[in-house]
PDB file of all heavy atoms in Angstrom:
ATOM      1  N   SER V 929     -21.444  11.080 -18.512  1.00 98.00           N
ATOM      2  CA  SER V 929     -22.590  11.900 -18.681  1.00 98.00           C
ATOM      3  C   SER V 929     -22.559  12.633 -19.877  1.00 98.00           C
ATOM      4  O   SER V 929     -23.670  12.872 -20.596  1.00 98.00           O
ATOM      5  CB  SER V 929     -22.492  12.955 -17.471  1.00 98.00           C
ATOM      6  OG  SER V 929     -22.560  12.342 -16.238  1.00 98.00           O
ATOM      7  N   VAL V 930     -21.438  13.236 -20.283  1.00 98.00           N
ATOM      8  CA  VAL V 930     -21.326  13.894 -21.636  1.00 98.00           C
ATOM      9  C   VAL V 930     -21.567  12.923 -22.795  1.00 98.00           C
ATOM     10  O   VAL V 930     -22.271  13.227 -23.718  1.00 98.00           O
ATOM     11  CB  VAL V 930     -19.936  14.530 -21.671  1.00 98.00           C
ATOM     12  CG1 VAL V 930     -19.752  15.258 -23.059  1.00 98.00           C
ATOM     13  CG2 VAL V 930     -19.703  15.503 -20.591  1.00 98.00           C
ATOM     14  N   TYR V 931     -20.882  11.822 -22.756  1.00 98.00           N
ATOM     15  CA  TYR V 931     -20.860  10.856 -23.896  1.00 98.00           C
ATOM     16  C   TYR V 931     -22.405  10.325 -24.066  1.00 98.00           C
ATOM     17  O   TYR V 931     -22.897  10.408 -25.265  1.00 98.00           O
ATOM     18  CB  TYR V 931     -20.053   9.673 -23.468  1.00 98.00           C
ATOM     19  CG  TYR V 931     -20.175   8.413 -24.367  1.00 98.00           C
ATOM     20  CD1 TYR V 931     -19.758   8.471 -25.667  1.00 98.00           C
ATOM     21  CD2 TYR V 931     -20.603   7.204 -23.814  1.00 98.00           C
ATOM     22  CE1 TYR V 931     -19.878   7.347 -26.546  1.00 98.00           C
ATOM     23  CE2 TYR V 931     -20.653   6.168 -24.580  1.00 98.00           C
ATOM     24  CZ  TYR V 931     -20.242   6.097 -25.958  1.00 98.00           C
ATOM     25  OH  TYR V 931     -20.381   4.980 -26.691  1.00 98.00           O
ATOM     26  N   LEU V 932     -23.082   9.928 -23.090  1.00 98.00           N
ATOM     27  CA  LEU V 932     -24.420   9.361 -23.136  1.00 98.00           C
ATOM     28  C   LEU V 932     -25.368  10.413 -23.692  1.00 98.00           C
ATOM     29  O   LEU V 932     -26.300  10.158 -24.477  1.00 98.00           O
ATOM     30  CB  LEU V 932     -24.806   8.703 -21.950  1.00 98.00           C
ATOM     31  CG  LEU V 932     -24.186   7.527 -21.469  1.00 98.00           C
ATOM     32  CD1 LEU V 932     -24.554   7.045 -20.027  1.00 98.00           C
ATOM     33  CD2 LEU V 932     -24.380   6.320 -22.380  1.00 98.00           C
ATOM     34  N   LYS V 933     -25.239  11.690 -23.170  1.00 98.00           N
ATOM     35  CA  LYS V 933     -26.110  12.721 -23.578  1.00 98.00           C
ATOM     36  C   LYS V 933     -26.013  13.164 -25.098  1.00 98.00           C
ATOM     37  O   LYS V 933     -26.895  13.329 -25.777  1.00 98.00           O
ATOM     38  CB  LYS V 933     -25.897  13.983 -22.709  1.00 98.00           C
ATOM     39  CG  LYS V 933     -26.847  15.139 -23.033  1.00 98.00           C
ATOM     40  CD  LYS V 933     -28.305  14.666 -22.607  1.00 98.00           C
ATOM     41  CE  LYS V 933     -29.314  15.917 -22.882  1.00 98.00           C
ATOM     42  NZ  LYS V 933     -30.657  15.527 -22.617  1.00 98.00           N
ATOM     43  N   ILE V 934     -24.738  12.946 -25.552  1.00 98.00           N
ATOM     44  CA  ILE V 934     -24.499  13.270 -26.959  1.00 98.00           C
ATOM     45  C   ILE V 934     -25.092  12.112 -27.800  1.00 98.00           C
ATOM     46  O   ILE V 934     -25.665  12.269 -28.834  1.00 98.00           O
ATOM     47  CB  ILE V 934     -22.980  13.378 -27.290  1.00 98.00           C
ATOM     48  CG1 ILE V 934     -22.475  14.762 -26.640  1.00 98.00           C
ATOM     49  CG2 ILE V 934     -22.670  13.403 -28.781  1.00 98.00           C
ATOM     50  CD1 ILE V 934     -20.985  14.972 -26.659  1.00 98.00           C
ATOM     51  N   GLN V 935     -24.772  10.926 -27.360  1.00 98.00           N
ATOM     52  CA  GLN V 935     -25.164   9.677 -28.176  1.00 98.00           C
ATOM     53  C   GLN V 935     -26.790   9.420 -28.090  1.00 98.00           C
ATOM     54  O   GLN V 935     -27.278   8.902 -28.997  1.00 98.00           O
ATOM     55  CB  GLN V 935     -24.490   8.437 -27.591  1.00 98.00           C
ATOM     56  CG  GLN V 935     -22.984   8.495 -27.690  1.00 98.00           C
ATOM     57  CD  GLN V 935     -22.466   8.461 -29.105  1.00 98.00           C
ATOM     58  OE1 GLN V 935     -23.094   7.974 -29.989  1.00 98.00           O
ATOM     59  NE2 GLN V 935     -21.339   9.116 -29.522  1.00 98.00           N
ATOM     60  N   ILE V 936     -27.293   9.804 -26.914  1.00 98.00           N
ATOM     61  CA  ILE V 936     -28.791   9.528 -26.787  1.00 98.00           C
ATOM     62  C   ILE V 936     -29.372  10.865 -26.255  1.00 98.00           C
ATOM     63  O   ILE V 936     -29.627  11.068 -25.055  1.00 98.00           O
ATOM     64  CB  ILE V 936     -29.146   8.582 -25.744  1.00 98.00           C
ATOM     65  CG1 ILE V 936     -28.151   7.238 -25.870  1.00 98.00           C
ATOM     66  CG2 ILE V 936     -30.630   8.075 -25.865  1.00 98.00           C
ATOM     67  CD1 ILE V 936     -28.370   6.243 -24.901  1.00 98.00           C
ATOM     68  N   PRO V 937     -29.594  11.971 -27.091  1.00 98.00           N
ATOM     69  CA  PRO V 937     -29.999  13.332 -26.685  1.00 98.00           C
ATOM     70  C   PRO V 937     -31.258  13.250 -25.939  1.00 98.00           C
ATOM     71  O   PRO V 937     -31.552  14.250 -25.120  1.00 98.00           O
ATOM     72  CB  PRO V 937     -30.178  13.989 -28.039  1.00 98.00           C
ATOM     73  CG  PRO V 937     -29.311  13.228 -28.955  1.00 98.00           C
ATOM     74  CD  PRO V 937     -29.369  11.818 -28.590  1.00 98.00           C
ATOM     75  N   SER V 938     -32.127  12.265 -26.003  1.00 97.00           N
ATOM     76  CA  SER V 938     -33.505  12.317 -25.234  1.00 97.00           C
ATOM     77  C   SER V 938     -33.326  12.007 -23.835  1.00 97.00           C
ATOM     78  O   SER V 938     -34.354  12.133 -23.068  1.00 97.00           O
ATOM     79  CB  SER V 938     -34.382  11.192 -25.977  1.00 97.00           C
ATOM     80  OG  SER V 938     -33.845   9.997 -25.747  1.00 97.00           O
ATOM     81  N   ILE V 939     -32.193  11.503 -23.388  1.00 98.00           N
ATOM     82  CA  ILE V 939     -32.094  11.163 -21.943  1.00 98.00           C
ATOM     83  C   ILE V 939     -31.982  12.388 -21.053  1.00 98.00           C
ATOM     84  O   ILE V 939     -31.498  13.498 -21.520  1.00 98.00           O
ATOM     85  CB  ILE V 939     -30.997  10.271 -21.633  1.00 98.00           C
ATOM     86  CG1 ILE V 939     -29.615  10.851 -21.878  1.00 98.00           C
ATOM     87  CG2 ILE V 939     -31.120   8.867 -22.404  1.00 98.00           C
ATOM     88  CD1 ILE V 939     -28.315  10.135 -21.443  1.00 98.00           C
ATOM     89  N   THR V 940     -32.351  12.262 -19.788  1.00 98.00           N
ATOM     90  CA  THR V 940     -32.004  13.234 -18.696  1.00 98.00           C
ATOM     91  C   THR V 940     -31.075  12.480 -17.683  1.00 98.00           C
ATOM     92  O   THR V 940     -31.245  11.310 -17.497  1.00 98.00           O
ATOM     93  CB  THR V 940     -33.266  13.706 -17.934  1.00 98.00           C
ATOM     94  OG1 THR V 940     -33.886  12.466 -17.328  1.00 98.00           O
ATOM     95  CG2 THR V 940     -34.151  14.343 -18.855  1.00 98.00           C
ATOM     96  N   THR V 941     -29.972  13.174 -17.351  1.00 98.00           N
ATOM     97  CA  THR V 941     -28.950  12.564 -16.535  1.00 98.00           C
ATOM     98  C   THR V 941     -28.973  13.296 -15.138  1.00 98.00           C
ATOM     99  O   THR V 941     -29.243  14.487 -14.946  1.00 98.00           O
ATOM    100  CB  THR V 941     -27.538  12.640 -17.142  1.00 98.00           C
ATOM    101  OG1 THR V 941     -27.206  13.996 -17.223  1.00 98.00           O
ATOM    102  CG2 THR V 941     -27.558  12.003 -18.506  1.00 98.00           C
ATOM    103  N   LYS V 942     -28.532  12.526 -14.097  1.00 98.00           N
ATOM    104  CA  LYS V 942     -28.168  13.009 -12.788  1.00 98.00           C
ATOM    105  C   LYS V 942     -26.801  12.302 -12.519  1.00 98.00           C
ATOM    106  O   LYS V 942     -26.833  11.098 -12.428  1.00 98.00           O
ATOM    107  CB  LYS V 942     -29.216  12.597 -11.825  1.00 98.00           C
ATOM    108  CG  LYS V 942     -28.893  13.174 -10.329  1.00 98.00           C
ATOM    109  CD  LYS V 942     -30.036  12.758  -9.420  1.00 98.00           C
ATOM    110  CE  LYS V 942     -29.687  13.299  -7.943  1.00 98.00           C
ATOM    111  NZ  LYS V 942     -29.541  14.834  -8.010  1.00 98.00           N
ATOM    112  N   THR V 943     -25.779  13.066 -12.100  1.00 98.00           N
ATOM    113  CA  THR V 943     -24.458  12.522 -11.864  1.00 98.00           C
ATOM    114  C   THR V 943     -24.116  12.935 -10.394  1.00 98.00           C
ATOM    115  O   THR V 943     -24.230  14.158 -10.062  1.00 98.00           O
ATOM    116  CB  THR V 943     -23.498  13.036 -12.879  1.00 98.00           C
ATOM    117  OG1 THR V 943     -23.827  12.868 -14.163  1.00 98.00           O
ATOM    118  CG2 THR V 943     -22.176  12.461 -12.629  1.00 98.00           C
ATOM    119  N   VAL V 944     -23.681  11.963  -9.660  1.00 98.00           N
ATOM    120  CA  VAL V 944     -23.246  12.145  -8.248  1.00 98.00           C
ATOM    121  C   VAL V 944     -21.865  11.447  -8.145  1.00 98.00           C
ATOM    122  O   VAL V 944     -21.712  10.339  -8.432  1.00 98.00           O
ATOM    123  CB  VAL V 944     -24.167  11.462  -7.277  1.00 98.00           C
ATOM    124  CG1 VAL V 944     -23.644  11.761  -5.813  1.00 98.00           C
ATOM    125  CG2 VAL V 944     -25.722  12.142  -7.449  1.00 98.00           C
ATOM    126  N   THR V 945     -20.907  12.310  -7.843  1.00 98.00           N
ATOM    127  CA  THR V 945     -19.455  11.740  -7.603  1.00 98.00           C
ATOM    128  C   THR V 945     -19.026  11.957  -6.169  1.00 98.00           C
ATOM    129  O   THR V 945     -19.424  12.789  -5.505  1.00 98.00           O
ATOM    130  CB  THR V 945     -18.549  12.466  -8.629  1.00 98.00           C
ATOM    131  OG1 THR V 945     -18.338  13.891  -8.109  1.00 98.00           O
ATOM    132  CG2 THR V 945     -18.945  12.413 -10.078  1.00 98.00           C
ATOM    133  N   LEU V 946     -18.119  11.056  -5.831  1.00 97.00           N
ATOM    134  CA  LEU V 946     -17.549  11.252  -4.475  1.00 97.00           C
ATOM    135  C   LEU V 946     -15.972  11.302  -4.680  1.00 97.00           C
ATOM    136  O   LEU V 946     -15.313  10.446  -5.344  1.00 97.00           O
ATOM    137  CB  LEU V 946     -17.756   9.823  -3.645  1.00 97.00           C
ATOM    138  CG  LEU V 946     -19.142   9.322  -3.573  1.00 97.00           C
ATOM    139  CD1 LEU V 946     -19.231   8.001  -2.801  1.00 97.00           C
ATOM    140  CD2 LEU V 946     -20.016  10.362  -2.959  1.00 97.00           C
ATOM    141  N   GLY V 947     -15.440  12.381  -4.104  1.00 95.00           N
ATOM    142  CA  GLY V 947     -13.830  12.501  -4.185  1.00 95.00           C
ATOM    143  C   GLY V 947     -13.385  12.528  -5.512  1.00 95.00           C
ATOM    144  O   GLY V 947     -12.208  11.824  -5.705  1.00 95.00           O
ATOM    145  N   VAL V 948     -13.997  13.162  -6.513  1.00 95.00           N
ATOM    146  CA  VAL V 948     -13.486  13.103  -7.890  1.00 95.00           C
ATOM    147  C   VAL V 948     -12.354  14.071  -8.044  1.00 95.00           C
ATOM    148  O   VAL V 948     -12.352  15.097  -7.481  1.00 95.00           O
ATOM    149  CB  VAL V 948     -14.716  13.421  -8.815  1.00 95.00           C
ATOM    150  CG1 VAL V 948     -15.153  14.880  -8.757  1.00 95.00           C
ATOM    151  CG2 VAL V 948     -14.371  13.211 -10.279  1.00 95.00           C
ATOM    152  N   PRO V 949     -11.384  13.656  -8.784  1.00 93.00           N
ATOM    153  CA  PRO V 949     -10.204  14.599  -9.128  1.00 93.00           C
ATOM    154  C   PRO V 949     -10.804  15.621 -10.248  1.00 93.00           C
ATOM    155  O   PRO V 949     -11.836  15.430 -10.760  1.00 93.00           O
ATOM    156  CB  PRO V 949      -9.212  13.655  -9.674  1.00 93.00           C
ATOM    157  CG  PRO V 949      -9.884  12.456 -10.290  1.00 93.00           C
ATOM    158  CD  PRO V 949     -11.130  12.315  -9.335  1.00 93.00           C
ATOM    159  N   ARG V 950      -9.981  16.624 -10.546  1.00 94.00           N
ATOM    160  CA  ARG V 950     -10.364  17.496 -11.674  1.00 94.00           C
ATOM    161  C   ARG V 950     -10.138  16.590 -13.002  1.00 94.00           C
ATOM    162  O   ARG V 950      -9.156  15.900 -13.162  1.00 94.00           O
ATOM    163  CB  ARG V 950      -9.381  18.724 -11.630  1.00 94.00           C
ATOM    164  CG  ARG V 950      -9.557  19.515 -10.395  1.00 94.00           C
ATOM    165  CD  ARG V 950      -8.737  20.870 -10.520  1.00 94.00           C
ATOM    166  NE  ARG V 950      -8.888  21.611  -9.433  1.00 94.00           N
ATOM    167  CZ  ARG V 950      -8.091  21.757  -8.359  1.00 94.00           C
ATOM    168  NH1 ARG V 950      -6.939  21.015  -8.368  1.00 94.00           N
ATOM    169  NH2 ARG V 950      -8.252  22.506  -7.363  1.00 94.00           N
ATOM    170  N   VAL V 951     -11.041  16.724 -13.763  1.00 95.00           N
ATOM    171  CA  VAL V 951     -11.156  15.986 -15.003  1.00 95.00           C
ATOM    172  C   VAL V 951     -10.752  16.649 -16.261  1.00 95.00           C
ATOM    173  O   VAL V 951     -10.107  16.085 -17.186  1.00 95.00           O
ATOM    174  CB  VAL V 951     -12.595  15.288 -15.232  1.00 95.00           C
ATOM    175  CG1 VAL V 951     -12.740  14.521 -16.437  1.00 95.00           C
ATOM    176  CG2 VAL V 951     -12.863  14.497 -13.977  1.00 95.00           C
ATOM    177  N   GLY V 952     -11.061  17.974 -16.386  1.00 96.00           N
ATOM    178  CA  GLY V 952     -10.824  18.781 -17.510  1.00 96.00           C
ATOM    179  C   GLY V 952     -10.419  20.107 -17.301  1.00 96.00           C
ATOM    180  O   GLY V 952     -10.256  20.565 -16.176  1.00 96.00           O
TER     181      GLY V 952
END
Side-chain angles (χ1 to χ4, degrees):
S929 300
V930 177
Y931 170 65
L932 292 174
K933 186 63 177 176
I934 289 175
Q935 298 295 329
I936 318 173
S938 62
I939 65 171
T940 58
T941 64
K942 179 179 181 63
T943 306
V944 179
T945 67
L946 312 175
V948 69
R950 296 186 182 100
V951 176

